[in-house]
Amino acid sequence: MGTKRQFRIWRGDENGGDLQDYTVEVNEGEVVLDIIHRLQATDAPDLACRWNCKAGKCGSCSMEINGMPKLGCMTRMSTFTEDETVTVTPLRTFPVIRDLVTDVSFNYEKARETPAFAPPADVAPGDYRMQQVDVERSQEFRKCIECFLCQTVCHVVRDHEENKQAFSGPRYFIRAAELDMHPLDARTDRKEYAQAEQGLGFCNITKCCTEVCPEHIKITDNGIIPMKERVVDRRYDPLVWLGSKIFRRGETPQTSVTTARQGSATPPSTSRGGTHSHAGGSHDPHAEAQAQSGVNWHREVPHPTAPAVDDRGRLPLTELTFDRAAAPSPFGDDVTFPLPPEHLNFAHPEQDDKH
Amino acid sequence: MTTTTRIERHHYDVVVIGAGGAGLRAAIEARLAGKKTAIISKSLFGKAHTVMAEGGAAAAMGNVNSRDSWQVHFRDTMRGGKFLNNFRMAELHAKESPQRIWELETYGALFDRTKDGKISQRNFGGHEYPRLAHVGDRTGLELIRTLQQKIVSLQQEDHREFGSYDARIKVFSETTITELLLDGDRIAGAFGYYRESGEFILFEAPAVVLATGGVGRSYKVTSNSWEYTGDGHALALRAGATLINMEFLQFHPTGMVWPPSVKGILVTESVRGDGGVLKNSDGKRFMFDYVPDVFRKQYAETEEEADRWYTDPDNNRRPPELLPRDEVARAINSEVKAGRGSPAGGVFLDIASRRSSDEIRRRLPSMYHQFKELADVDITAEPMEVGPTCHYVMGGVEVDPDSGAAFGHVRGLFAAGEVSGGMHGSNRLGGNSLSDLLVFGKRAGGHAASYADGLDARPKVGVDAVEAAVETALAPLQRDTGESPYVLQQDLQAVMGDLVGIIRREGELADALGRLAELRERVAKVSAAGGRRYNPGWHLALDLRNMLVVSECTAKAALERQESRGGHTREDYPAMEPKWRQVNLVCALDGDTVRLTRKPLPKMRAELIGLFDRAELAKYLTDEELAEFDALAEEAGN
Ligand SMILES: Cc1cc2nc3c(=O)[nH]c(=O)nc-3n(C[C@H](O)[C@H](O)[C@H](O)COP(=O)(O)OP(=O)(O)OC[C@H]3O[C@@H](n4cnc5c(N)ncnc54)[C@H](O)[C@@H]3O)c2cc1C
Ligand code: SF4
Ligand code: SF4
Ligand code: FES
């Protein structure tokens, strides 16, 4: 009763690999993960892939489907046309372990560095009183299933291994935001922490993280932007401004978006289609080739542009020593927005339906 | 062979196998007791099965209805389990759940609130008062994330004190334990492999807490993930512990049956609690025809009364859609068998015509979103097609109720959560599992820590045992003549689903045992293609032998128990027998074969049995037991 469909799945490990073609039966109502399971039971018993719940609740089955970071168990086969080849690749930002399984330990390290909930000192268990409206703001972020799709899509680390040290990523910005908005959390420095230690300043609100979030968490609008706004408020308070010039120990002041930038917080770069470059930002010819074969957007790969790094090979983190206001463009200085449409290779979810 | 040289070795005081709610809570307790603790999990940290629990965690906090108390909760739990529960576990659970839930708030959990700012509680099948602490319909996620973050915060403390996050508590994710190692009758360690690399790993530890969850993967239609292969049950058996109540499996009445992408996924009971009703293909609300006598008094007889209950629960009886799960599952099964089912072999669950689209979306957000995305089904616009799905195993490791220490002839082994047995009797009430994880996870972790403290000398891991474990683990990779593990799993699922499913018959059960014996031969020769690195075929091949031995326990116990009770329904013995209530069926491993023995149930203390109506007890107890009860009552009267 099913139809035969074409799949291309990346097989390999940290030493390299390639896309392999499979012809596989697809039945009505199935999702991509069902097809991977069918392949395991037939042609490829050792095809590695993570999954648990098959219900979009555990965030294990993250993969890139036709170049778009998605949950395999939540991607219906009916979103592709019958003659379309479905290409499945591992998450790009994390090192491959085997096939579709990547080493996501980066995220667990960042989680470990984020200071935990600080219980109020004088409230006994059972005596916590909070209003529903107040907990709802944090609850939105606690919906997170830790699929790390937002982490993999964020351009700050997607093709920039060197930024991983200083940048925690959207998942941990909303963790900080969640605690910041927690009615009873005893710490008051969540925002400052996000700015100083998590690399919030790297984020230039492209909103790609929000677009891929399967839980539809408004990562940018409800999490990142409010955190940035408050940090900005403080920064433009003359006293704080002065204080921030005298660096406190262990605190590196970092670039931050300005209020002006906030005003146009939806620069053309965040319009439909987004601005991620799968290969454009990469400096490695091999990765370049892979991106090309993995993501078949029939377009020319733009020349890689090096980011504006300082003499240590790092992105300048301090706005005081940086030659421009606001964050450096992660797309390179020669890229202007809006991008010409032929340079876009980031698919909007709805785009699939049109194929 | 010098295989042991290639094995990574670790020393811990307490090793917790399983990173679900029970495992994490146990680990927190062991670490708080100052023990060096390891947490081992087959999947990534924070992804265990507990994330899937939707409805909530039952605890008699009395926030919504102040008449609730531990006594009422205890009564509901015993009723739900048809009095087969270990009464002491049910008692501890009812008493300690509220503290365990409140404690979560100090770890950062954010439950939904009542108007006066307390934790909100919702209605659920089998609970007399609104009792389930919840967060929308993602309570399990909140629970596991909270415990995960508490562990991180303990690691941060250790980092400040010792300079290393892993100094006193370390998580080994994507690591599977295949064998427990003994020194005489004492636990000496655990052996397993990293899924990622296929490399072996050996934990030397005097105390092991099993928190590995359930067995549902042995069934075709199940809400359980690949992790649920009964590993903990099988590990315990092989280490000399015993399993009880293995015949009792809960089939969730309302799993989706159509479309296939969501087959087996549960429609939470809160859909019914919030007004959803079950209808057959004639459009009839059939549950009114299936209220058993024991429940007559509590359930509405007319649709009008049932509908009034949603707004005025104090003056009306509850709708029969909220009967305990096994009753609902059986009712659906009967409707389908009578030819009144939906096209895909289920029945219709309708909330769309009863609540406004906005209200449904507000009260059941992730349910709405899940079905919309997964299957393009709009639950606010059309009824769902649902049917019974294998969901939860009541049976498990026989434990001491207070400490969670395993019975049988092994020391140093503890169990908590779904892998342990007794707490839920023959049937679990919705929401009782999440609080069970916390209550008994904490107990098992604490007692494992004090057991480790009490030892003069550490048990030693024998080299032979390790070499044997290595050999067993590598065997499927070294054979290329056997069958594929996927084929074997399908065959096993077919046997269990068709012959040891929701409605059971003597002939079929005997047949199942024959087939399981054949499967055992085939599983012994299974071969897996590929190498050791992240090879799911190999992993499944190793899990198969666990699934098999656990399935044998279930089939044997199901054949032995000649009555119907809770999660065990025998077509040939449809009635509940007071005599059988006095018996637990205990499975042990004798060499390779499963041995079944009968064991009397512990007797409930007088003040606990005194909480029940005589009329109610009459349905469950034998005449002698009733006479004893009367004597007690008389004494109390004097
Ligand atoms: C869909 C669904 C909905 C549910 N809804 C509710 C609800 O609303 N309320 C409620 O109270 N209960 C509910 N339950 C039941 C409840 O979620 C489970 O019973 C409970 O989460 C079990 O928790 P656990 O800690 O025992 O094990 P789990 O959370 O399942 O964790 C098992 C752990 O053991 C690990 N493990 C297993 N084998 C090995 C091995 N060999 N080596 C190493 N690690 C291993 C796994 O990786 C995992 O980390 C629901 C269950 C399901 C499936
Ligand atoms: S908005 Fe863009 S830059 Fe900021 S975290 Fe999200 S993906 Fe990264
Ligand atoms: S925020 Fe969304 S995309 Fe990011 S990890 Fe959480 S659920 Fe996934
Ligand atoms: S398998 Fe759990 S989110 Fe896909």
Side-chain angles (χ1 to χ4, degrees):
Chain A
M1 64 167 190
T3 53
K4 295 280 182 194
R5 299 273 194 97
Q6 295 302 318
F7 264 73
R8 305 185 79 198
I9 300 181
W10 194 90
R11 303 290 311 266
D13 54 26
E14 81 267 31
N15 300 321
D18 50 20
L19 288 163
Q20 292 189 12
D21 289 298
Y22 296 95
T23 306
V24 55
E25 187 182 306
V26 173
N27 300 316
E28 198 193 328
E30 287 183 326
V31 292
V32 170
L33 189 63
D34 287 320
I35 311 306
I36 306 259
H37 285 161
R38 179 157 306 125
L39 278 171
Q40 286 179 335
T42 54
D43 296 7
D46 62 338
L47 169 61
C49 168
R50 282 196 185 103
W51 71 284
N52 257 16
C53 64
K54 211 171 133 350
K57 285 174 177 269
C58 71
S60 302
C61 61
S62 307
M63 50 184 81
E64 302 201 357
I65 300 169
N66 287 351
M68 175 74 178
K70 282 186 172 179
L71 296 178
C73 71
M74 296 291 277
T75 308
R76 276 176 284 139
M77 285 306 297
S78 63
T79 55
F80 309 104
T81 56
E82 282 202 17
D83 52 1
E84 191 175 350
T85 300
V86 180
T87 305
V88 187
T89 48
L91 295 185
R92 185 177 163 84
T93 306
F94 309 119
V96 168
I97 292 172
R98 210 165 78 77
D99 303 342
L100 301 178
V101 175
T102 52
D103 175 359
V104 291
S105 55
F106 165 75
N107 302 290
Y108 289 97
E109 279 158 26
K110 296 298 174 189
R112 220 144 69 159
E113 289 161 8
T114 310
F117 172 68
D122 47 357
V123 187
D127 288 347
Y128 282 46
R129 294 288 177 275
M130 295 175 259
Q131 288 306 312
Q132 183 65 24
V133 283
D134 297 329
V135 299
E136 263 167 16
R137 296 187 302 161
S138 295
Q139 279 180 337
E140 176 186 6
F141 305 128
R142 290 183 72 83
K143 285 195 307 201
C144 170
I145 57 173
E146 301 205 331
C147 62
F148 308 132
L149 291 180
C150 58
Q151 300 282 91
T152 191
V153 83
C154 179
H155 62 83
V156 177
V157 284
R158 190 165 168 91
D159 282 307
H160 296 276
E161 192 62 34
E162 69 277 12
N163 288 347
K164 284 188 176 168
Q165 180 73 25
F167 186 74
S168 295
R171 160 66 187 115
Y172 300 99
F173 298 153
I174 61 165
R175 169 74 173 139
E178 168 216 321
L179 290 167
D180 189 43
M181 296 173 190
H182 190 300
L184 292 176
D185 179 51
R187 273 182 87 126
T188 53
D189 63 343
R190 302 281 178 194
K191 290 185 209 71
E192 291 71 11
Y193 179 85
Q195 188 67 16
E197 306 289 335
Q198 291 190 309
L200 186 66
F202 279 81
C203 163
N204 57 345
I205 321 186
T206 59
K207 299 200 184 184
C208 306
C209 46
T210 305
E211 286 203 16
V212 297
C213 177
E215 285 295 305
H216 305 298
I217 299 172
K218 299 255 183 324
I219 303 176
T220 30
D221 289 6
N222 295 349
I224 295 177
I225 293 176
M227 299 252 286
K228 277 178 177 276
E229 270 169 359
R230 308 265 200 93
V231 174
V232 170
D233 284 352
R234 297 175 135 262
R235 189 154 287 225
Y236 288 94
D237 172 27
L239 267 179
V240 177
W241 170 240
L242 226 150
S244 74
K245 285 194 160 196
I246 308 157
F247 304 154
R248 271 185 284 145
R249 208 146 48 101
E251 208 180 69
T252 332
Q254 303 194 345
T255 51
S256 159
V257 289
T258 62
T259 350
R261 172 96 188 189
Q262 297 269 333
S264 60
T266 327
S269 62
T270 65
S271 59
R272 301 265 107 139
T275 49
H276 277 292
S277 161
H278 282 278
S282 167
H283 318 300
D284 168 22
H286 181 59
E288 213 58 67
Q290 269 188 1
Q292 244 330 58
S293 54
V295 189
N296 188 8
W297 298 111
H298 308 295
R299 68 182 178 90
E300 228 177 87
V301 185
H303 282 296
T305 45
V309 292
D310 63 17
D311 46 12
R312 292 173 310 148
R314 297 288 172 83
L315 281 177
L317 302 186
T318 317
E319 68 181 3
L320 296 174
T321 60
F322 193 50
D323 55 358
R324 257 153 296 159
S329 166
F331 307 102
D333 288 325
D334 53 345
V335 179
T336 50
F337 297 108
L339 283 179
E342 63 271 20
H343 284 187
L344 300 181
N345 66 349
F346 186 81
H348 186 266
E350 280 154 28
Q351 191 172 316
D352 292 344
D353 300 328
K354 286 186 223 121
H355 282 270
Chain B
M1 250 195 343
T2 51
T3 41
T4 40
T5 53
R6 286 187 277 111
I7 300 174
E8 194 180 304
R9 278 170 183 259
H10 294 271
H11 291 262
Y12 281 93
D13 298 326
V14 176
V15 166
V16 179
I17 308 176
L24 298 184
R25 189 62 191 83
I28 289 172
E29 201 61 19
R31 155 64 181 75
L32 288 176
K35 292 283 148 294
K36 196 170 171 226
T37 307
I39 303 170
I40 306 168
S41 150
K42 285 215 267 192
S43 42
L44 291 171
F45 190 27
K47 311 260 180 235
H49 218 70
T50 303
V51 293
M52 293 174 74
E54 296 163 338
M61 297 182 281
N63 290 351
V64 171
N65 190 324
S66 58
R67 278 182 291 179
D68 202 8
S69 67
W70 76 260
Q71 287 92 340
V72 186
H73 191 182
F74 170 77
R75 240 171 20 208
D76 290 344
T77 302
M78 293 299 295
R79 255 180 216 144
K82 302 283 190 299
F83 277 71
L84 201 79
N85 319 51
N86 180 309
F87 76 88
R88 175 68 180 156
M89 288 178 94
E91 178 196 0
L92 288 170
H93 171 258
K95 281 183 177 164
E96 293 178 4
S97 296
Q99 284 148 269
R100 293 289 86 75
I101 297 289
W102 286 326
E103 189 174 70
L104 288 183
E105 287 198 305
T106 70
Y107 300 170
L110 284 173
F111 292 100
D112 285 349
R113 318 305 295 183
T114 61
K115 284 216 171 58
D116 51 356
K118 298 180 186 166
I119 296 175
S120 167
Q121 298 184 271
R122 68 152 59 115
N123 275 304
F124 225 62
H127 292 282
E128 197 167 329
Y129 297 115
R131 189 176 286 146
L132 270 66
H134 58 95
V135 187
D137 45 9
R138 53 166 193 86
T139 315
L141 174 66
E142 183 71 11
L143 191 113
I144 205 157
R145 199 65 82 231
T146 302
L147 294 172
Q148 179 186 351
Q149 287 164 352
K150 174 66 181 177
I151 284 175
V152 164
S153 96
L154 291 171
Q155 290 182 321
Q156 289 172 351
E157 276 176 28
D158 291 346
H159 183 68
R160 282 192 291 274
E161 193 172 336
F162 304 104
S164 157
Y165 288 111
D166 296 331
R168 283 196 290 183
I169 186 164
K170 181 166 161 128
V171 182
F172 294 82
S173 61
E174 301 207 303
T175 304
T176 304
I177 295 298
T178 60
E179 220 73 70
L180 296 178
L181 304 169
L182 299 174
D183 179 358
D185 67 348
R186 288 183 306 170
I187 287 288
F191 170 89
Y193 60 88
Y194 286 119
R195 300 171 70 80
E196 232 171 65
S197 60
E199 295 297 322
F200 294 123
I201 177 165
L202 173 66
F203 296 90
E204 296 191 37
V208 166
V209 179
L210 292 173
T212 54
V215 307
R217 262 346 255 186
S218 315
Y219 285 83
K220 236 184 313 190
V221 186
T222 176
S223 60
N224 296 171
S225 84
W226 62 268
E227 293 190 310
Y228 268 26
T229 50
D231 292 7
H233 293 77
L235 288 171
L237 276 179
R238 290 204 292 269
T242 49
L243 306 184
I244 56 168
N245 295 348
M246 288 305 292
E247 64 276 36
F248 298 109
L249 281 160
Q250 189 169 62
F251 286 81
H252 195 287
T254 56
M256 285 298 255
V257 294
W258 178 260
S261 56
V262 290
K263 187 170 177 165
I265 292 184
L266 298 186
V267 181
T268 124
E269 273 168 330
S270 26
V271 172
R272 282 172 282 138
D274 284 341
V277 296
L278 292 165
K279 291 180 181 165
N280 61 21
S281 56
D282 305 336
K284 181 174 181 221
R285 211 172 142 181
F286 58 83
M287 280 309 298
F288 288 97
D289 302 342
Y290 291 94
V291 183
D293 290 338
V294 262
F295 289 115
R296 275 262 183 257
K297 255 175 51 192
Q298 291 114 306
Y299 288 86
E301 273 158 56
T302 63
E303 296 197 14
E304 292 70 34
E305 179 178 5
D307 286 346
R308 281 195 306 266
W309 175 87
Y310 294 107
T311 45
D312 182 12
D314 282 341
N315 297 311
N316 292 287
R317 289 174 296 173
R318 39 183 41 219
E321 276 83 10
L322 297 180
L323 276 162
R325 302 185 157 164
D326 51 327
E327 307 290 354
V328 180
R330 223 171 297 161
I332 294 176
N333 208 47
S334 308
E335 285 294 308
V336 174
K337 287 216 167 142
R340 293 188 292 268
S342 72
V347 294
F348 297 99
L349 172 56
D350 181 16
I351 187 159
S353 70
R354 295 175 50 88
R355 297 283 180 266
S356 76
S357 163
D358 278 352
E359 196 177 343
I360 299 172
R361 259 185 267 186
R362 190 168 48 76
R363 300 188 74 125
L364 305 159
S366 67
M367 188 100 283
Y368 169 77
H369 147 215
Q370 186 181 348
F371 288 120
K372 188 81 194 138
E373 293 228 332
L374 274 175
D376 210 11
V377 171
D378 184 352
I379 63 168
T380 68
E382 51 193 314
M384 297 165 254
E385 279 189 63
V386 299
T389 301
C390 178
H391 182 47
Y392 185 91
V393 58
M394 269 69 75
V397 181
E398 190 186 11
V399 292
D400 170 61
D402 287 83
S403 67
F407 282 177
H409 50 81
V410 56
R411 287 187 293 152
L413 186 63
F414 298 79
E418 191 168 342
V419 70
S420 72
M423 156 71 205
H424 303 288
S426 68
N427 194 14
R428 172 184 73 100
L429 289 187
N432 265 3
S433 172
L434 290 185
S435 38
D436 162 22
L437 307 181
L438 298 170
V439 168
F440 295 102
K442 173 180 154 67
R443 286 181 161 269
H447 282 90
S450 44
Y451 168 84
D453 270 341
L455 288 175
D456 319 325
R458 295 229 156 187
K460 291 225 161 37
V461 172
V463 179
D464 299 354
V466 177
E467 287 195 345
V470 170
E471 220 159 281
T472 317
L474 288 178
L477 286 175
Q478 284 156 354
R479 266 191 297 262
D480 50 10
T481 51
E483 289 171 85
S484 144
Y486 296 98
V487 172
L488 289 169
Q489 185 189 25
Q490 271 170 18
D491 289 358
L492 176 67
Q493 289 175 336
V495 173
M496 293 306 283
D498 297 345
L499 305 178
V500 200
I502 176 162
I503 310 288
R504 299 157 180 182
R505 298 169 193 89
E506 177 162 338
E508 290 182 354
L509 290 168
D511 188 16
L513 281 169
R515 290 180 195 223
L516 287 174
E518 281 166 32
L519 267 171
R520 174 184 277 265
E521 312 258 290
R522 292 164 62 197
V523 166
K525 288 186 288 211
V526 62
S527 53
R532 278 166 70 175
R533 289 177 62 93
Y534 220 109
N535 180 348
W538 179 40
H539 302 160
L540 178 59
L542 294 177
D543 292 345
L544 273 173
R545 84 179 164 138
N546 298 335
M547 294 166 74
L548 192 77
V549 67
V550 173
S551 299
E552 280 178 350
C553 290
T554 299
K556 275 206 170 147
L559 180 60
E560 178 91 353
R561 186 174 281 275
Q562 295 178 334
E563 65 156 354
S564 295
R565 178 184 298 274
H568 170 66
T569 306
R570 284 283 295 264
E571 201 182 59
D572 38 0
Y573 298 95
M576 195 158 68
E577 281 294 332
K579 268 224 168 67
W580 271 106
R581 193 203 69 82
Q582 300 172 300
V583 180
N584 269 337
L585 295 176
V586 181
C587 300
L589 215 52
D590 180 359
D592 246 3
T593 40
V594 175
R595 283 259 175 285
L596 202 65
T597 46
R598 296 187 181 194
K599 190 170 170 180
L601 222 67
K603 206 157 114 202
M604 214 187 297
R605 293 200 315 276
E607 83 265 22
L608 291 179
I609 201 155
L611 294 172
F612 296 91
D613 255 13
R614 187 185 193 282
E616 177 169 21
L617 290 173
K619 292 166 209 150
Y620 297 105
L621 303 189
T622 60
D623 292 342
E624 300 90 81
E625 286 174 308
L626 275 176
E628 220 175 289
F629 176 79
D630 291 338
L632 273 173
E634 209 164 297
E635 219 173 274
N638 288 342

